[in-house]
Amino acid sequence: MFGIIGSGSWATALAKILTDSGQHINWWIRNVETIGQIQTRRHNPHYLTSVYFNSSLLSLENDLRKVIAASDIVVIAVPSAFVGETLAGLDTSCFENKKIISAIKGIIPGENVLLNAYLLKLFGVFLEDYFVVLGPCHAEEVAAEKLSYLTFSGTDVTMAHEIASNFKTDYINTVINHDILGVQYAAVLKNIYALGAGIAHGLEYGDNFLSVYIANSADEMAGFLRKVGIEHIVVGEHNEEDPVTHRKAPNYAASVYLGDLLVTCYSLYSRNRTFGNMIGKGYSVRSAQLELNMVAEGYNAAKCIYDLNKEIMAEMPIAETVYRILWENVKPAEGFKQIEEVLV
């Protein structure tokens, strides 16, 4: 049985997908009032309000220990900045004999590590029991049941296939990927670049500039991934085929890398793009956060990657400039003049 930790738009979208495929889920929601409203009105009053649930498939609970204990597969779908406080106080053995699915698109702030490293350190969760679900997939399009793709990554490819099968619906196609670290770093980086794309839009750069900006961001991302040891970076080269589906193996052109970058930079549903657009129009970071009323993962990710890259030493002028705009008060127009000079 699946358990979901979190009640934001992405957690709500995943809950919809699982229940639409007939799965009964245990769902941890912090706010008791929200639980009551979902039970009586069958929809989340705060996120994706158009989505209505079959209440017989929901076990709602604000006690995280109970949700974890009752679940075989636990989906963690809270913003990366809230992971620490959400899991605080749990017994170190609580995830024993569980499969963990990360639906997080960020690095743990302060720790500067991916969720798998954080869970290994605090709870002894090994990589073979850890999986990642990523897009490209916006929660709003899931709510509208527009055809979307979910990528499931894990070192145990057979189990990744089994997990993915539970998310297959008329509007969800699934893809399997074993590059578990690469897809997580790509998800972190694409949010930074999307935030930058939003800043550019707010500064009234046009589509011609954005196309060059995104192409260079893709190249910068590939350089970072190569530096941290990720394989299958070269577009057009596929080293092996999937042993189950016999599809060609994914490379950097796959949807979970380049596709997710594109949709996050261009889509009006992208909260990182929206957040960046506000910054480009002159909002302070704090004002943009209050206005957005949702977490833009690219904000914390910019600092995490900047700090992490002090050791990795990848060439990252775009991501570094976005960091300086957000965290060091560099004026957006000044920062993008600097970015203009490095684009090729």
Side-chain angles (χ1 to χ4, degrees), residues 4 67 137 199 257 283 298:
I4 296 180
V67 168
C137 187
I199 294 174
Y257 305 99
Y283 283 66

Side-chain angles (χ1 to χ4, degrees), residues 86-109:
T86 299
L87 303 184
L90 291 175
D91 188 87
T92 55
S93 63
C94 67
F95 293 120
E96 189 174 339
N97 299 320
K98 311 287 184 184
K99 302 298 182 185
I100 308 300
I101 302 176
S102 170
I104 292 174
K105 303 172 183 178
I107 292 180
I108 311 301

Side-chain angles (χ1 to χ4, degrees), residues 273-324:
R273 183 184 187 277
T274 301
F275 184 90
N277 186 54
M278 293 178 188
I279 300 297
K281 289 184 178 298
Y283 283 66
S284 67
V285 167
R286 183 57 180 157
S287 296
Q289 289 172 325
L290 291 171
E291 182 75 17
L292 186 63
N293 197 32
M294 290 190 293
V295 174
E297 288 277 16
Y299 172 66
N300 283 316
K303 187 176 190 306
C304 291
I305 289 293
Y306 176 79
D307 291 338
L308 195 61
N309 197 44
K310 291 175 183 177
E311 297 181 8
I312 296 169
M313 299 295 289
E315 291 289 333
M316 305 191 75
I318 298 174
E320 184 173 316
T321 302
V322 172
Y323 159 77
R324 295 192 186 283

Side-chain angles (χ1 to χ4, degrees), residues 246-265:
H246 301 292
R247 295 176 183 173
K248 62 185 180 182
N251 64 11
Y252 183 64
S255 56
V256 72
Y257 305 99
L258 189 55
D260 212 358
L261 172 66
L262 291 171
V263 75
T264 311
C265 285

Side-chain angles (χ1 to χ4, degrees), residues 9-172:
S9 58
W10 189 221
T12 303
L14 293 172
K16 170 182 167 57
I17 294 167
L18 283 170
T19 54
D20 281 356
S21 69
Q23 299 294 319
H24 186 284
I25 62 171
N26 302 305
W27 193 358
W28 176 79
I29 298 172
R30 183 190 300 275
N31 190 299
V32 175
E33 291 183 2
T34 301
I35 290 176
Q37 289 177 313
I38 294 175
Q39 288 172 331
T40 57
R41 300 178 184 176
R42 298 191 303 114
H43 73 98
N44 188 332
H46 305 295
Y47 300 97
L48 304 187
T49 56
S50 65
V51 171
Y52 282 81
F53 292 96
N54 178 349
S55 56
S56 68
L57 295 176
L58 300 178
S59 293
L60 306 176
E61 180 61 67
N62 75 329
D63 187 331
L64 183 55
R65 293 172 180 83
K66 290 182 179 179
V67 168
I68 294 172
S71 305
D72 303 303
I73 303 172
V74 180
V75 181
I76 302 178
V78 296
S80 58
F82 300 149
V83 167
E85 66 178 80
T86 299
L87 303 184
L90 291 175
D91 188 87
T92 55
S93 63
C94 67
F95 293 120
E96 189 174 339
N97 299 320
K98 311 287 184 184
K99 302 298 182 185
I100 308 300
I101 302 176
S102 170
I104 292 174
K105 303 172 183 178
I107 292 180
I108 311 301
E111 300 282 341
N112 289 345
V113 295
L114 298 170
L115 181 63
N116 59 278
Y118 186 79
L119 293 179
L120 175 62
K121 177 182 176 182
L122 269 66
F123 300 100
V125 175
F126 294 104
L127 203 58
E128 55 264 32
D129 294 320
Y130 178 88
F131 301 84
V132 180
V133 58
L134 294 169
C137 187
H138 283 304
E140 293 79 4
E141 291 201 351
V142 171
E145 299 188 0
K146 294 186 177 182
L147 182 62
S148 303
Y149 285 72
L150 289 178
T151 301
F152 291 84
S153 297
T155 58
D156 184 341
V157 175
T158 301
M159 179 56 68
H161 276 283
E162 183 177 330
I163 290 172
S165 68
N166 295 285
F167 289 79
K168 192 80 170 72
T169 71
D170 291 341
Y171 58 90
I172 294 292

